[in-house]
Amino acid sequence: MTASTDKPDSPSPKTLFQKIIDRELPGSFVYEDEQCVVIKDINPGAPLHLLVIPRKPIPRLSDATPEDQALLGHLLLVASQVAREAGCGEAFRVAINNGAGAGQSVFHLHLHVLAGRPLKWPPG
Ligand code: AMP
């Protein structure tokens, strides 16, 4: 049996997103800096669907600590920047799924940036 790399208690040191960040797996990069990368979601839920991923492999938002405060703020600013640069700065959604029960499937913190269609509230 192959161990998943994307469970919170995985013995593997690398998540799927870490492998993309390290260029061990392909990713469609639209932005990167010293703290994070932004890639296109492989299964987009909207015309614009980007993932803002910190280089630091925090499994879930709920695993972040006060030492991550500046990083978390940076991720939000990058989310806004890439939405604006994609021409969607006036109407976009930023979402974080925290835990399997909330739909998280990759246990490396990431912000979804969705735009380009009407976005209803609340999400399903
Ligand atoms: P979540 O369900 O919140 O953990 O989000 C994980 C997201 O990663 C989903 O929207 C997937 O479509 C996306 N995803 C999974 N594999 C890849 C990949 N190889 N490249 C880009 N996005 C991916």
Side-chain angles (χ1 to χ4, degrees):
M1 195 172 91
T2 306
S4 167
T5 60
D6 291 309
K7 296 285 184 279
D9 301 320
S10 170
S12 170
K14 284 201 177 184
T15 65
L16 170 67
F17 288 162
Q18 195 68 53
K19 291 176 183 172
I20 292 174
I21 291 168
D22 293 343
R23 271 46 178 197
E24 294 171 11
L25 290 174
S28 182
F29 286 78
V30 302
Y31 173 87
E32 63 182 306
D33 62 28
E34 69 286 351
Q35 295 184 77
C36 70
V37 305
V38 182
I39 62 172
K40 294 182 180 176
D41 196 291
I42 202 169
N43 183 24
L48 182 74
H49 189 169
L50 303 176
L51 301 172
V52 182
I53 309 169
R55 293 184 186 277
K56 180 179 179 180
I58 301 166
R60 300 166 299 187
L61 178 61
S62 57
D63 295 308
T65 69
E67 82 173 22
D68 299 314
Q69 183 168 336
L71 172 60
L72 296 176
H74 181 71
L75 298 177
L76 283 173
L77 290 173
V78 168
S80 177
Q81 176 186 330
V82 294
R84 185 171 62 249
E85 289 175 354
C88 300
E90 291 305 311
F92 64 93
R93 177 171 293 159
V94 178
I96 297 173
N97 297 324
N98 188 93
Q104 185 174 5
S105 60
V106 180
F107 287 84
H108 182 142
L109 176 64
H110 50 284
L111 283 60
H112 295 261
V113 180
L114 297 142
R117 65 166 171 81
L119 295 166
K120 294 187 170 31
W121 191 261

